[in-house]
Amino acid sequence: METKVGIIGAGPAGLLLSHLLHLNGIDSILLEKKSREEVEETVRAGVLEQGAINLLNETGLGSRMMKYGHLHHGIEIQYNNQRFLLNFEELIGKKIMVYPQHEVLKDLIAARMKANGKIIFQANVTSLKDIDSSKPKIEFEVDGEKQELICDFIAGCDGYHGPSRKALPKELLREIEHVYPFGWLGILAEAPISNEVLIYTYHERGFALISTRSPEIQRYYLQVNPNDQLSQWPDERIWSELHARVDLNGWTVQEGPIIQKDIVKMRSFVCETMQYGRLFLAGDAAHIVPPTGAKGMNLAMGDAQVLAIGLQHYYTTGNEQILNKYEKIRLESIWRAQRFSRLMTDLLHHNNKKTSFEQKIQFAELNYVTTTVTGATTIAENYTDISVNLPAELQKNLTAIKS
Ligand code: RFL
Ligand code: PHB
């Protein structure tokens, strides 16, 4: 099998890249180890930045998002039994879209299928070969049968645990990691909407987040010990913690049957080596953020956009100049998103290891971002629009890939 761009992984990064390449007449084959159903059902992210909303709309992927997604004009931050609205629209004229990641994936897969795009599901990539040559190869297995894909370029969009990053020479790896002493217990509940916008709550019992998936399904999160097991969190305990942390006089979290539960550990990770030879890493394969800033899916889309621009430039001019800048361009946005995700995590979680000085500073920070225009504007700018940005020099190339 042969193609121009071999893509590993049908997450937001891989699927968006294959769609953008298709819009520019560049052939690709995407290999995904899960089935289509599994990909379309995995519950993960929920918030899209302004740049991601625009990109989906401008590349023909936005119709279901605009119909079923929910545009939010801001978020609320709560602490000390007080709730503050940060109205992003009023502050900077931007909004966010609450639209589940698996719905974005359904839209992308449908668009690829309609265009006869080549996605091979249940294709488990086992190794990458000759990545420093002009014909790199991907070895994979379908139904236990070994196959090989020969390409010009490989896009490693296979998440944190995928094989792409592991194919980079160890001595060239520049990896940086920070582990937080927090975990998030996430639930989906069949309940009516609790609030018009997301509520990020600091409480001495721990952080809580009120989010939503649809008018009938709500997504709530609780800060837990990262080593907690789901068996320690029966439904009654979850509801009693949510009420204790978020309820206010006259306002209560809406309850309903819990249909899904999971616990994630919180980490920041960047593999700064995002290119080696003809292999490019994109999305979670290269970086992980703690979910407090809602950046992971957006960063994956931002990577796909710049990679698509670089490949489009290469196939029209034969010049690898933009591709060679991919790593540098993306690391700027990635580190800004890392900074913001850490800031939100520190601001909103309770850490009993903090000294009383550090705890007082945390309250002063909460006060600053909720009661001053400058503080709130900083949150608004970073929350709504840092992951899918392009340097000015590439703006003209963007028009080309969207055509
Ligand atoms: P993905 O989505 O992990 O997709 C990688 C794909 O690669 C496949 N794969 C392989 N395929 C073939 N052969 C192999 N050997 C393979 N190994 C792996 C996998 O099966 C998979 O389908 O990576 P991508 O595209 O980089 O996208 C990243 C995002 O999924 C992730 O960053 C977000 O979900 C993070 N995230 C959030 N991001 C946001 O922008 N906004 C949010 O509100 C938000 N909330 C969240 C989140 C992540 C969470 N969890 C579960 C960590 C909330 C949570 C709780
Ligand atoms: C979600 O709805 O899953 C969600 C929203 C905001 C975050 C993280 C997760 O910061």
Side-chain angles (χ1 to χ4, degrees), residues 8-13 31-34 44-47 101 123-125 157-159 162-163 219 221 264 282-284 291 294-298 300:
I8 311 172
L31 304 168
E32 165 57 51
K33 77 172 172 193
K34 293 196 226 151
R44 296 185 76 178
V47 176
Q101 177 165 324
N124 185 24
V125 171
C157 306
D158 44 0
R219 181 82 164 140
Y221 296 96
V264 294
D284 281 13
K295 294 289 168 222
M297 166 167 57
N298 294 287

Side-chain angles (χ1 to χ4, degrees), residues 168-183:
L168 296 169
K170 291 249 166 338
E171 64 281 9
L172 294 184
L173 279 185
R174 289 171 284 131
E175 293 181 325
I176 296 149
E177 187 178 31
H178 178 76
V179 178
Y180 301 83
F182 315 124

Side-chain angles (χ1 to χ4, degrees), residues 306 309-310 322 325 329 390-399:
V306 176
I309 289 175
I322 298 182
K325 284 192 202 157
I329 291 171
L390 278 184
E393 52 174 317
L394 289 193
Q395 290 296 339
K396 61 178 187 316
N397 302 77
L398 180 62
T399 322

Side-chain angles (χ1 to χ4, degrees), residues 44 46-47 184 198 200 209 211 213 219 221 291-292 294:
R44 296 185 76 178
V47 176
W184 272 22
L198 272 57
Y200 287 82
L209 171 60
S211 181
R213 283 293 175 271
R219 181 82 164 140
Y221 296 96
T292 332

Side-chain angles (χ1 to χ4, degrees), residues 182-202:
F182 315 124
W184 272 22
L185 166 69
I187 64 158
L188 283 179
E190 285 174 340
I193 261 175
S194 283
N195 200 49
E196 213 189 323
V197 294
L198 272 57
I199 309 171
Y200 287 82
T201 308
Y202 167 85

